[in-house]
Amino acid sequence: MTEEGPDIATLVRRLAGCPPEFLDEPRIGASGRIVVAAVVFDLILDLGGPQGGHVHLPFEGEAGDRNQSRIVLVCCWLLHDPWFRARRDLGERAHGFLITDPALLAPVVDAERLVTDPDRREELARLCLARLGLRPHGESEAQAADRLTALDSVERRRVIEATRAAEERARRVREELARKAAEEAAAKATRE
């Protein structure tokens, strides 16, 4: 995130104004309306990606993930901001972002929340900038990284799951200690 990017407030406002078509049903198999690969291909070209290049979306097809595809569409709306298009050198980085990050977000965040929830909008805007190697206008690298960490839904879920696992281990240890204490008490009672 060494290079300064656009203003984060501008990107958050852009997400708030995402047209409903970007949350429409993605084509998966024979159902759905929006051909996600076509939207991604057009975006990559607008961002200076290779002409006639192949747009690889590993989740697309018969078994595609609906929420992941919708997140990709919302990300395409965000990345079609004039600031990104004016650069003409972000096509490949944007393609990499669209392949990896929506897959990480899909199990944790519903696509609609990336448009309706202020924190999720900011999270997506910051995540996008970070993956493109950019930081929000007016922020230092440390500030940008700290704020992204504070908003990170994937990391929050990982921490919650780790906490639950630790609590479960502690519960099992307490039960085992109680069982051993009861056995020792019973053994002591029979000796007396």
Side-chain angles (χ1 to χ4, degrees), residues 1-8 11 47 79 81 83-85 87 89-90 93-94 125-141 143-145 148:
M1 293 192 291
T2 58
E3 189 178 346
E4 190 169 74
D7 181 61
I8 197 71
L11 297 179
L47 295 179
L79 286 165
D81 183 79
W83 192 96
F84 297 115
R85 285 184 288 141
R87 286 282 305 257
D89 67 344
L90 297 172
R93 287 186 263 174
R126 288 180 177 282
L127 181 63
C128 177
L129 288 176
R131 297 306 187 263
L132 296 178
L134 304 168
R135 61 183 157 71
H137 176 75
E139 292 185 12
S140 69
E141 289 180 47
Q143 289 171 322
L148 178 57

Side-chain angles (χ1 to χ4, degrees), residues 35-58:
V35 180
V36 178
V39 175
V40 171
F41 182 77
D42 288 347
L43 171 70
I44 300 304
L45 285 178
D46 287 347
L47 295 179
Q51 296 276 335
H54 177 67
V55 174
H56 173 69
L57 298 175

Side-chain angles (χ1 to χ4, degrees), residues 14 31 48 53 55 96 98 112 115 129 154 160-161 165 175-176 182 190:
R14 180 168 178 83
S31 67
V55 174
L98 293 170
E112 280 91 2
V115 173
L129 288 176
V154 174
I160 289 170
E161 288 173 356
E175 287 174 355
E176 182 63 22
T190 56

Side-chain angles (χ1 to χ4, degrees), residues 1-191:
M1 293 192 291
T2 58
E3 189 178 346
E4 190 169 74
D7 181 61
I8 197 71
T10 301
L11 297 179
V12 169
R13 277 192 307 275
R14 180 168 178 83
L15 283 169
C18 182
E21 293 81 11
F22 283 84
L23 291 168
D24 206 347
E25 287 301 314
R27 181 167 298 281
I28 298 174
S31 67
R33 292 188 30 180
I34 309 298
V35 180
V36 178
V39 175
V40 171
F41 182 77
D42 288 347
L43 171 70
I44 300 304
L45 285 178
D46 287 347
L47 295 179
Q51 296 276 335
H54 177 67
V55 174
H56 173 69
L57 298 175
F59 56 84
E60 194 174 58
E62 291 294 324
D65 180 298
R66 175 182 174 271
N67 191 49
Q68 184 177 347
S69 295
R70 294 172 79 215
I71 291 173
V72 168
L73 291 169
V74 171
C75 291
C76 286
W77 168 253
L78 175 64
L79 286 165
H80 207 260
D81 183 79
W83 192 96
F84 297 115
R85 285 184 288 141
R87 286 282 305 257
R88 302 293 303 156
D89 67 344
L90 297 172
E92 288 185 38
R93 287 186 263 174
H95 185 234
F97 166 73
L98 293 170
I99 289 173
T100 58
D101 290 277
L104 298 173
L105 284 172
V108 182
V109 180
D110 190 56
E112 280 91 2
R113 290 192 62 216
L114 296 172
V115 173
T116 60
D117 182 281
D119 286 342
R120 299 299 61 86
R121 287 192 301 257
E122 184 180 351
E123 175 186 10
L124 181 60
R126 288 180 177 282
L127 181 63
C128 177
L129 288 176
R131 297 306 187 263
L132 296 178
L134 304 168
R135 61 183 157 71
H137 176 75
E139 292 185 12
S140 69
E141 289 180 47
Q143 289 171 322
D146 285 348
R147 185 64 183 149
L148 178 57
T149 300
L151 293 167
D152 193 337
S153 297
V154 174
E155 179 64 16
R156 184 179 319 109
R157 184 178 205 181
R158 187 197 63 72
V159 168
I160 289 170
E161 288 173 356
T163 301
R164 284 182 185 150
E167 288 172 352
E168 178 60 24
R169 283 190 302 277
R171 183 190 61 76
R172 286 194 306 263
V173 167
R174 284 190 303 274
E175 287 174 355
E176 182 63 22
L177 289 173
R179 184 186 62 76
K180 285 183 180 181
E183 287 175 358
E184 289 175 7
K188 184 178 179 182
T190 56
R191 281 192 305 258

